[in-house]
Amino acid sequence: MLNCELDLPVGFRAGDVLAFHLRDSLQVAEQVQGNCLRKGLAWSGRAACLEIVFTGGRAAARLDVDGPLSPSDGLLLTGMVRRMLGLTQAVEDFEQRWCAHPQVGRLIAAHPGLRVPLAATPFEALSWAVTGQQISVAAALTIRRRLIEAVGLRHTSGLFCYPDAAGVQALGEPELRAAGFSRTKAQTLLTLSGQLVSGDLSLDAWMAKPPIDDIQACLLRIRGIGPWTINYALLRGFGWLDGSLHGDVAVRRGLQHLLGSPAPVSPAETERFLAGFSPWRALVAAHLWALDTAVSRASGAAPKVG
């Protein structure tokens, strides 16, 4: 059992983190109860349950692994939790720079301190991005759930675990197709997983200081992975805040709400708008997600943010 505690910034938005991990209402691999998150994940190939409790301006994390631990696991846990909570993101600098902007300033005022919750690992973020390509969030969540259940890695607590690359590769294409993946997506996941298992690609090695150009170049060589998938994975997996998510439907809807445009905003128009906020384009996109979610809830529609 590993434990760590982290001080949280004043006004930390724990609800955003909990909501991100509550997307699957069946709670197969993630469970949220009150101020507590429990998440099943693969830890060095073994089933593990991560628990994070938010209380009194602190986050208390506990990792229960079905198997032995190594001396370095404590530092790895602390780093993972910091990334997952968005504590490595300098959002204060962004807000100070853009709080007076006539449009983005309104976004900041509506959601001060907004950070982007991250997946537990870059592989989880990238495989989720592949899963969600060109389908609804609801459909992607169903396929994600079937993938988790197909791999079958389960912690002794009963919680299923999001698989690592070795777990996905072990399934093979027929099993991925049965889970709901298209042939192209199944082949993309198998190629990605195979390169990670063989060591030809190492997402974890990039976490400390992501070489963005190198990551983009490596991933673009994999058939089925394009700019949107990469930028989303860089955001949710590494916390890189400058990817341009102008192709994201919810981002474009959010911009349409922000601008009060009667007509949908095109990807090109969204790209031009976001370009002016580099190196914070993905963080602006996250604020547009939040706006779109708020508008959807106000209208009684289901939020569609991934």
Side-chain angles (χ1 to χ4, degrees):
M1 185 83 70
L2 293 174
N3 296 275
C4 74
E5 288 199 16
L6 300 174
D7 290 323
L8 300 173
V10 175
F12 181 80
R13 302 168 59 94
D16 292 350
V17 177
L18 297 171
F20 175 67
H21 293 283
L22 192 57
R23 293 169 297 173
D24 185 353
S25 61
L26 297 187
Q27 301 194 57
V28 169
E30 295 91 9
Q31 296 177 349
V32 174
Q33 294 181 331
N35 63 342
C36 176
L37 162 68
R38 296 176 68 247
K39 176 177 174 62
L41 51 89
W43 187 269
S44 299
R46 299 184 298 275
C49 176
L50 172 66
E51 180 180 278
I52 304 176
V53 179
F54 299 98
T55 181
R58 295 177 67 82
R62 181 177 66 181
L63 184 72
D64 183 11
V65 181
D66 288 347
L69 295 167
S70 68
S72 63
D73 282 342
L75 287 176
L76 292 175
L77 172 63
T78 300
M80 181 180 70
V81 174
R82 282 181 51 80
R83 288 191 303 275
M84 289 178 66
L85 303 187
L87 298 179
T88 61
Q89 301 167 24
V91 300
E92 298 85 0
D93 295 343
F94 164 74
E95 293 185 355
Q96 182 177 12
R97 170 67 179 83
W98 295 107
C99 64
H101 188 272
Q103 285 132 1
V104 170
R106 286 162 44 203
L107 297 176
I108 293 171
H111 297 94
L114 185 144
R115 300 168 187 271
V116 180
L118 266 60
T121 66
F123 176 73
E124 180 178 353
L126 183 53
S127 55
W128 166 244
V130 171
T131 303
Q133 291 170 348
Q134 298 181 329
I135 60 176
S136 70
V137 173
L141 285 170
T142 298
I143 296 172
R144 177 184 189 267
R145 186 188 313 126
R146 291 173 180 167
L147 170 66
I148 292 169
E149 292 174 337
V151 173
L153 183 64
R154 198 167 192 176
H155 186 255
T156 49
S157 65
L159 199 63
F160 277 96
C161 301
Y162 195 90
D164 57 12
V168 172
Q169 188 189 40
L171 287 182
E173 185 175 333
E175 290 82 4
L176 290 174
R177 294 296 307 278
F181 289 94
S182 67
R183 178 175 285 104
T184 298
K185 288 184 181 181
Q187 292 173 349
T188 296
L189 282 179
L190 289 173
T191 300
L192 171 65
S193 300
Q195 291 188 12
L196 289 168
V197 170
S198 69
D200 292 338
L201 186 65
S202 180
L203 297 176
D204 292 344
W206 287 328
M207 283 194 295
K209 191 176 181 181
I212 301 302
D213 292 342
D214 292 344
I215 295 173
Q216 291 173 330
C218 288
L219 294 180
L220 278 173
R221 297 190 190 106
I222 299 176
R223 183 174 179 268
I225 295 181
W228 179 90
T229 301
I230 292 172
N231 282 329
Y232 184 91
L234 284 169
L235 176 63
R236 291 291 195 193
F238 295 93
W240 187 55
L241 299 178
D242 197 30
S244 182
L245 295 169
H246 55 276
D248 189 280
V249 174
V251 170
R252 300 204 305 270
R253 278 199 310 264
L255 183 57
Q256 182 181 356
H257 299 318
L258 181 66
L259 300 178
S261 173
V265 180
S266 71
E269 292 170 320
T270 306
E271 183 177 22
R272 287 193 294 271
F273 179 85
L274 293 174
F277 301 98
S278 182
W280 310 102
R281 289 176 294 176
L283 187 53
V284 174
H287 275 275
L288 292 171
W289 275 335
L291 174 59
D292 182 60
T293 298
V295 172
S296 295
R297 286 175 177 161
S299 66
K304 301 178 179 63
V305 177

